[in-house]
């Protein structure tokens, strides 16, 4: 079972988990990889379109949450693009609890490819399918990403009960975590449909485990 979150165990979870990718970012527009926290926490935030996407995500979440939206727990990656997205959603939902940040939700580290063209990402996914433990070129392995994100979920399970918990992060970390929930081999995370900017998925709901057809 992947990280203890295989589909046949989801009913044992105490909370509902919502995954939200950040809104369109300056790095998306420039097609550059920004995976270094020292850079990504200070720059490459979301665009005006990204801000609008975040507002719409907040309104959509209001209709999806099982409880009063003010009671939701929000946790964000400390990267600027994710944190800005989370702040907007947090405001729309009028959450009573302050927004939390967790490095467990950081962007996947891309090693030697940091600040370079994002075209390498497709090749990385192919390599992931061959070896989920690979750290070629200093790229953070799939298993490392799964370990840190699933560890956070386990920590949240020990703290909260019957809460809607919203995790705002990045494409690769969220898809790899979703693979854990869906009991899909972690290295094959790229078979799961890619997260669009500000897209919302319920991690515990099999209806959101759609895989690509091609």
């Amino acid at each position: 079972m992947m990280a203890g979150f295989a589909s046949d165990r989801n009913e044992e979870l105490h909370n509902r988990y919502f995954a939200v990718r950040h809104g369109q970012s300056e790095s998306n527009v420039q097609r550059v990889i920004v995976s270094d926290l020292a850079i990504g926490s200070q720059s490459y935030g979301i665009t005006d379109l990204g801000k609008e996407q975040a507002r719409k995500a907040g309104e959509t979440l209001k209709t999806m949450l099982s409880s009063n939206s003010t009671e939701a727990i929000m946790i964000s990656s400390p990267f600027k693009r994710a944190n800005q997205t989370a702040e907007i959603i947090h405001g729309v939902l009028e959450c009573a609890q302050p927004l939390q940040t967790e490095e467990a939700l950081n962007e996947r580290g891309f090693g030697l490819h940091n600040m370079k063209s994002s075209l390498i990402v497709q090749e990385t996914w192919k390599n992931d399918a061959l070896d989920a433990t690979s750290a070629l070129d200093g790229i953070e392995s799939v298993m490392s990403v799964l370990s840190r994100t699933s560890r956070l979920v386990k920590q949240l399970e020990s703290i909260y009960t019957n809460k809607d918990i919203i995790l705002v992060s990045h494409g690769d970390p969220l898809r790899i975590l979703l693979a854990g929930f869906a009991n899909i081999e972690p290295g094959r995370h790229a078979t799961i449909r890619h997260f669009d900017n500000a897209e919302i998925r319920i991690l515990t709901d099999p209806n959101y485990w759609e895989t690509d057809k091609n």
Side-chain angles (χ1 to χ4, degrees):
M1 292 185 182
M2 292 297 103
F5 299 119
S7 57
D8 61 349
R9 294 196 58 186
N10 281 336
E11 68 272 16
E12 298 178 14
L13 293 173
H14 303 137
N15 305 286
R16 291 178 80 212
Y17 292 89
F18 296 78
V20 185
R21 186 185 174 207
H22 60 79
Q24 184 194 65
S25 67
E26 294 170 2
S27 55
N28 291 149
V29 173
Q30 297 177 31
R31 297 185 179 181
V32 62
I33 295 172
V34 180
S35 65
D36 185 329
L37 179 59
I39 298 172
S41 63
Q42 301 299 317
S43 56
Y44 294 94
I46 55 177
T47 64
D48 287 342
L49 174 58
K51 292 174 184 177
E52 180 60 25
Q53 290 171 334
R55 281 189 285 272
K56 288 181 178 178
E59 295 295 340
T60 300
L61 277 165
K62 278 186 175 182
T63 69
M64 296 175 68
L65 300 178
S66 58
S67 59
N68 188 316
S69 64
T70 62
E71 299 176 2
I73 305 297
M74 283 202 66
I75 305 167
S76 173
S77 155
F79 277 70
K80 188 173 183 178
R81 55 191 184 269
N83 202 248
Q84 286 181 321
T85 301
E87 286 176 346
I88 292 171
I89 295 173
H90 190 271
V92 172
L93 297 179
E94 299 180 315
C95 297
Q97 293 291 324
L99 174 64
Q100 304 175 41
T101 57
E102 281 286 348
E103 291 190 8
L105 295 175
N106 277 4
E107 176 64 284
R108 182 182 186 181
F110 273 85
L112 297 178
H113 302 285
N114 184 56
M115 302 308 299
K116 296 181 180 178
S117 171
S118 59
L119 293 176
I120 189 65
V121 173
Q122 296 277 351
E123 292 302 315
T124 299
W125 294 340
K126 292 179 183 178
N127 188 59
D128 291 343
L130 297 175
D131 184 0
T133 66
S134 173
L136 183 68
D137 292 340
I139 297 174
E140 184 179 10
S141 74
V142 171
M143 295 310 295
S144 173
V145 175
L146 180 60
S147 176
R148 60 176 166 89
T149 54
S150 60
R151 189 183 310 119
L152 173 62
V153 172
K154 290 178 181 179
Q155 290 172 350
L156 295 171
E157 283 293 288
S158 70
I159 297 171
Y160 300 107
T161 301
N162 295 326
K163 290 290 186 181
D164 288 326
I165 299 178
I166 304 165
L167 307 177
V168 183
S169 185
H170 311 263
D172 268 23
L174 290 178
R175 196 156 58 163
I176 290 169
L177 179 60
L178 184 55
F181 275 92
N183 202 24
I184 293 172
E185 185 66 31
R188 297 184 64 250
H189 66 91
T191 63
I192 298 172
R193 186 173 59 79
H194 185 64
F195 272 82
D196 291 329
N197 288 123
E199 182 179 355
I200 306 161
R201 294 190 202 172
I202 305 175
L203 293 173
T204 47
D205 187 340
N207 292 319
Y208 291 85
W209 298 346
E210 179 184 352
T211 56
D212 285 324
K213 305 303 182 200
N214 51 13

PDB file of all heavy atoms in Angstrom, residues 135-148:
ATOM      1  N   ALA A 135      17.387  10.076  -8.553  1.00  0.00           N
ATOM      2  CA  ALA A 135      17.651  11.490  -8.270  1.00  0.00           C
ATOM      3  C   ALA A 135      18.613  12.034  -9.328  1.00  0.00           C
ATOM      4  O   ALA A 135      19.511  12.830  -9.026  1.00  0.00           O
ATOM      5  CB  ALA A 135      18.222  11.657  -6.874  1.00  0.00           C
ATOM      6  N   LEU A 136      18.401  11.611 -10.563  1.00  0.00           N
ATOM      7  CA  LEU A 136      19.249  12.022 -11.673  1.00  0.00           C
ATOM      8  C   LEU A 136      19.307  13.545 -11.774  1.00  0.00           C
ATOM      9  O   LEU A 136      18.285  14.220 -11.689  1.00  0.00           O
ATOM     10  CB  LEU A 136      18.704  11.443 -12.980  1.00  0.00           C
ATOM     11  CG  LEU A 136      19.521  11.709 -14.258  1.00  0.00           C
ATOM     12  CD1 LEU A 136      20.855  10.974 -14.210  1.00  0.00           C
ATOM     13  CD2 LEU A 136      18.711  11.277 -15.483  1.00  0.00           C
ATOM     14  N   ASP A 137      20.526  14.076 -11.948  1.00  0.00           N
ATOM     15  CA  ASP A 137      20.760  15.525 -12.058  1.00  0.00           C
ATOM     16  C   ASP A 137      20.313  16.290 -10.814  1.00  0.00           C
ATOM     17  O   ASP A 137      20.053  17.498 -10.875  1.00  0.00           O
ATOM     18  CB  ASP A 137      20.049  16.106 -13.285  1.00  0.00           C
ATOM     19  CG  ASP A 137      20.653  15.627 -14.602  1.00  0.00           C
ATOM     20  OD1 ASP A 137      21.809  15.169 -14.595  1.00  0.00           O
ATOM     21  OD2 ASP A 137      19.965  15.724 -15.631  1.00  0.00           O
ATOM     22  N   GLY A 138      20.227  15.592  -9.698  1.00  0.00           N
ATOM     23  CA  GLY A 138      19.818  16.246  -8.462  1.00  0.00           C
ATOM     24  C   GLY A 138      18.328  16.487  -8.345  1.00  0.00           C
ATOM     25  O   GLY A 138      17.875  17.186  -7.423  1.00  0.00           O
ATOM     26  N   ILE A 139      17.545  15.914  -9.262  1.00  0.00           N
ATOM     27  CA  ILE A 139      16.090  16.057  -9.199  1.00  0.00           C
ATOM     28  C   ILE A 139      15.550  15.228  -8.036  1.00  0.00           C
ATOM     29  O   ILE A 139      15.925  14.078  -7.853  1.00  0.00           O
ATOM     30  CB  ILE A 139      15.442  15.603 -10.522  1.00  0.00           C
ATOM     31  CG1 ILE A 139      15.908  16.507 -11.674  1.00  0.00           C
ATOM     32  CG2 ILE A 139      13.915  15.613 -10.414  1.00  0.00           C
ATOM     33  CD1 ILE A 139      15.449  16.053 -13.042  1.00  0.00           C
ATOM     34  N   GLU A 140      14.694  15.824  -7.241  1.00  0.00           N
ATOM     35  CA  GLU A 140      14.110  15.115  -6.097  1.00  0.00           C
ATOM     36  C   GLU A 140      13.337  13.902  -6.592  1.00  0.00           C
ATOM     37  O   GLU A 140      12.530  14.004  -7.519  1.00  0.00           O
ATOM     38  CB  GLU A 140      13.185  16.046  -5.321  1.00  0.00           C
ATOM     39  CG  GLU A 140      12.611  15.436  -4.056  1.00  0.00           C
ATOM     40  CD  GLU A 140      11.707  16.381  -3.291  1.00  0.00           C
ATOM     41  OE1 GLU A 140      11.355  17.457  -3.834  1.00  0.00           O
ATOM     42  OE2 GLU A 140      11.343  16.043  -2.148  1.00  0.00           O
ATOM     43  N   SER A 141      13.563  12.768  -5.986  1.00  0.00           N
ATOM     44  CA  SER A 141      12.914  11.545  -6.435  1.00  0.00           C
ATOM     45  C   SER A 141      11.423  11.549  -6.115  1.00  0.00           C
ATOM     46  O   SER A 141      10.956  12.243  -5.204  1.00  0.00           O
ATOM     47  CB  SER A 141      13.563  10.316  -5.785  1.00  0.00           C
ATOM     48  OG  SER A 141      13.184  10.218  -4.421  1.00  0.00           O
ATOM     49  N   VAL A 142      10.691  10.764  -6.876  1.00  0.00           N
ATOM     50  CA  VAL A 142       9.263  10.612  -6.633  1.00  0.00           C
ATOM     51  C   VAL A 142       9.013  10.126  -5.213  1.00  0.00           C
ATOM     52  O   VAL A 142       8.128  10.630  -4.507  1.00  0.00           O
ATOM     53  CB  VAL A 142       8.647   9.619  -7.640  1.00  0.00           C
ATOM     54  CG1 VAL A 142       7.210   9.273  -7.253  1.00  0.00           C
ATOM     55  CG2 VAL A 142       8.696  10.186  -9.048  1.00  0.00           C
ATOM     56  N   MET A 143       9.792   9.150  -4.768  1.00  0.00           N
ATOM     57  CA  MET A 143       9.568   8.586  -3.435  1.00  0.00           C
ATOM     58  C   MET A 143       9.837   9.604  -2.342  1.00  0.00           C
ATOM     59  O   MET A 143       9.194   9.586  -1.287  1.00  0.00           O
ATOM     60  CB  MET A 143      10.429   7.340  -3.249  1.00  0.00           C
ATOM     61  CG  MET A 143      10.067   6.187  -4.180  1.00  0.00           C
ATOM     62  SD  MET A 143       8.290   5.775  -4.200  1.00  0.00           S
ATOM     63  CE  MET A 143       8.061   5.223  -2.519  1.00  0.00           C
ATOM     64  N   SER A 144      10.791  10.507  -2.574  1.00  0.00           N
ATOM     65  CA  SER A 144      11.047  11.568  -1.597  1.00  0.00           C
ATOM     66  C   SER A 144       9.854  12.509  -1.497  1.00  0.00           C
ATOM     67  O   SER A 144       9.436  12.889  -0.391  1.00  0.00           O
ATOM     68  CB  SER A 144      12.301  12.354  -1.992  1.00  0.00           C
ATOM     69  OG  SER A 144      12.466  13.491  -1.152  1.00  0.00           O
ATOM     70  N   VAL A 145       9.290  12.871  -2.648  1.00  0.00           N
ATOM     71  CA  VAL A 145       8.124  13.756  -2.661  1.00  0.00           C
ATOM     72  C   VAL A 145       6.938  13.075  -1.979  1.00  0.00           C
ATOM     73  O   VAL A 145       6.238  13.681  -1.163  1.00  0.00           O
ATOM     74  CB  VAL A 145       7.751  14.164  -4.098  1.00  0.00           C
ATOM     75  CG1 VAL A 145       6.460  14.995  -4.104  1.00  0.00           C
ATOM     76  CG2 VAL A 145       8.885  14.949  -4.744  1.00  0.00           C
ATOM     77  N   LEU A 146       6.711  11.804  -2.310  1.00  0.00           N
ATOM     78  CA  LEU A 146       5.607  11.062  -1.698  1.00  0.00           C
ATOM     79  C   LEU A 146       5.790  10.945  -0.196  1.00  0.00           C
ATOM     80  O   LEU A 146       4.834  11.089   0.570  1.00  0.00           O
ATOM     81  CB  LEU A 146       5.486   9.673  -2.331  1.00  0.00           C
ATOM     82  CG  LEU A 146       4.358   8.797  -1.781  1.00  0.00           C
ATOM     83  CD1 LEU A 146       3.001   9.441  -1.987  1.00  0.00           C
ATOM     84  CD2 LEU A 146       4.395   7.412  -2.423  1.00  0.00           C
ATOM     85  N   SER A 147       7.017  10.724   0.233  1.00  0.00           N
ATOM     86  CA  SER A 147       7.292  10.575   1.657  1.00  0.00           C
ATOM     87  C   SER A 147       6.936  11.840   2.432  1.00  0.00           C
ATOM     88  O   SER A 147       6.250  11.783   3.459  1.00  0.00           O
ATOM     89  CB  SER A 147       8.767  10.227   1.871  1.00  0.00           C
ATOM     90  OG  SER A 147       9.072  10.174   3.253  1.00  0.00           O
ATOM     91  N   ARG A 148       7.369  12.982   1.933  1.00  0.00           N
ATOM     92  CA  ARG A 148       7.132  14.221   2.684  1.00  0.00           C
ATOM     93  C   ARG A 148       5.666  14.663   2.645  1.00  0.00           C
ATOM     94  O   ARG A 148       5.133  15.159   3.649  1.00  0.00           O
ATOM     95  CB  ARG A 148       8.051  15.337   2.218  1.00  0.00           C
ATOM     96  CG  ARG A 148       7.955  15.775   0.764  1.00  0.00           C
ATOM     97  CD  ARG A 148       8.877  16.972   0.518  1.00  0.00           C
ATOM     98  NE  ARG A 148       9.130  17.285  -0.874  1.00  0.00           N
ATOM     99  CZ  ARG A 148       8.395  18.100  -1.624  1.00  0.00           C
ATOM    100  NH1 ARG A 148       7.307  18.643  -1.109  1.00  0.00           N
ATOM    101  NH2 ARG A 148       8.748  18.364  -2.879  1.00  0.00           N
TER     102      ARG A 148
END
